[in-house]
Amino acid sequence: MLRRENWQVNPKSVWRICQEERIVVRKERRKKIRREALPASPATRPNQRWAMDYGSDGLAGGRKIRALTIVDTYTRECLAMEVDTSLPGLRVRRVLAQLTQQRLRPEEIRVDNGPEFISRAVASWCEENRLRLWHIQPGKPMQNGHVQSFNGRLRDECLNANWFTSMSDARRKIEAWRKDFNENRLHSALNYRTPAEFARASGALSFPLLSVNKAERGQCQRFLRRRASRP
């Protein structure tokens, strides 16, 4: 600014004077989000724990789309997939409200630290419905491994394999893939049954279903070892 006004100044002298007069504006560092480690116990019944995350793709015309995925970590069902160009916190809240009208409310929901999931709209809905909203630790996506694995299949088998000409076309094809995943896809972790078949029979099962995710399975094993070593 001084040079623009034709002042001949030494930058070091200006810096020294600013330091002495304390007129230097400090740069605020962005605060890092810190989360506690999530409990490593696996889900043992339907609707005990849901997991949410986002996937993204584009239409033929170049328009970006997003897909909100909600998975039951016990039955492996994809409970809902909401597709649109924008899915803010209020939209997530509305999807959860509609979903809980069709089935029992979960005891907890596991999400990452995206702006939609840390929004006041989602937090207030969880508080009103008396369920826990667990945020994973930053940089550790495998703490939400079930939905991460599901999104990987969604990417490989649906998003990368289809050409979406419009929003309605994308919603139709993604919903068809979701139904096929729930009703026709066999899972070794479910004793080679489909998620829908396992969900129907899960009321008669009393054993805990171990996680197919290696990272989460390791967390469960460490948790059990620490618990067994306590006096």
Side-chain angles (χ1 to χ4, degrees):
M1 294 177 63
L2 294 175
R3 287 180 177 175
R4 293 183 63 178
E5 296 179 4
N6 297 322
W7 284 67
Q8 299 297 325
V9 293
N10 188 320
K12 294 182 180 179
S13 300
V14 174
W15 176 255
R16 177 178 55 80
I17 295 172
C18 290
Q19 291 282 7
E20 292 175 354
E21 299 296 330
R22 296 182 180 179
I23 59 175
V24 179
V25 180
R26 287 188 175 183
K27 293 183 179 180
E28 294 186 1
R29 294 184 178 180
R30 184 178 179 181
K31 295 182 179 179
K32 295 183 179 180
I33 299 177
R34 294 184 180 181
R35 304 285 188 188
E36 295 182 358
L38 298 179
S41 56
T44 58
R45 56 190 177 276
N47 297 314
Q48 178 183 357
R49 181 184 300 145
W50 292 359
M52 297 194 301
D53 199 8
Y54 281 98
S56 61
D57 202 51
L59 301 179
R63 195 176 184 186
K64 300 295 183 181
I65 61 173
R66 304 186 74 194
L68 171 67
T69 56
I70 304 177
V71 175
D72 188 315
T73 63
Y74 181 72
T75 65
R76 307 302 199 270
E77 288 180 287
C78 177
L79 306 178
M81 291 187 68
E82 188 77 2
V83 181
D84 212 331
T85 55
S86 176
L87 295 168
L90 287 174
R91 186 71 172 274
V92 176
R93 177 189 178 114
R94 189 173 70 185
V95 173
L96 289 172
Q98 294 173 350
L99 190 57
T100 52
Q101 292 177 356
Q102 304 170 8
R103 56 191 299 140
L104 295 176
R105 287 197 301 265
E107 299 175 21
E108 61 184 66
I109 300 178
R110 187 169 291 194
V111 295
D112 59 20
N113 296 280
E116 300 86 0
F117 297 142
I118 63 175
S119 66
R120 186 173 299 178
V122 175
S124 62
W125 184 88
C126 292
E127 185 175 353
E128 292 169 4
N129 289 273
R130 299 181 180 179
L131 55 91
R132 292 186 296 270
L133 182 65
W134 290 105
H135 292 89
I136 65 174
Q137 293 176 300
K140 296 185 178 180
M142 295 317 296
Q143 289 183 354
N144 206 10
H146 287 98
V147 73
Q148 294 289 338
S149 176
F150 175 83
N151 280 348
R153 293 190 180 97
L154 172 66
R155 168 65 58 188
D156 295 336
E157 301 173 10
C158 181
L159 301 182
N160 290 346
N162 287 284
W163 182 259
F164 304 127
T165 58
S166 63
M167 181 64 67
S168 59
D169 181 54
R171 288 171 176 164
R172 179 178 56 83
K173 291 179 179 178
I174 292 175
E175 178 63 18
W177 183 87
R178 184 188 74 87
K179 291 181 178 179
D180 180 73
F181 178 88
N182 287 338
E183 298 172 4
N184 300 318
R185 186 66 57 84
L186 302 179
H187 287 254
S188 59
L190 305 180
N191 197 18
Y192 292 98
R193 286 179 286 184
T194 66
E197 183 182 3
F198 181 78
R200 288 192 293 267
S202 59
L205 298 178
S206 59
F207 61 89
L209 184 67
L210 296 180
S211 171
V212 298
N213 179 265
K214 294 182 179 179
E216 190 168 341
R217 184 182 301 171
Q219 291 179 357
C220 296
Q221 292 174 349
R222 289 192 295 271
F223 173 78
L224 294 174
R225 285 198 297 267
R226 289 197 302 268
R227 187 173 182 179
S229 63
R230 292 177 181 175

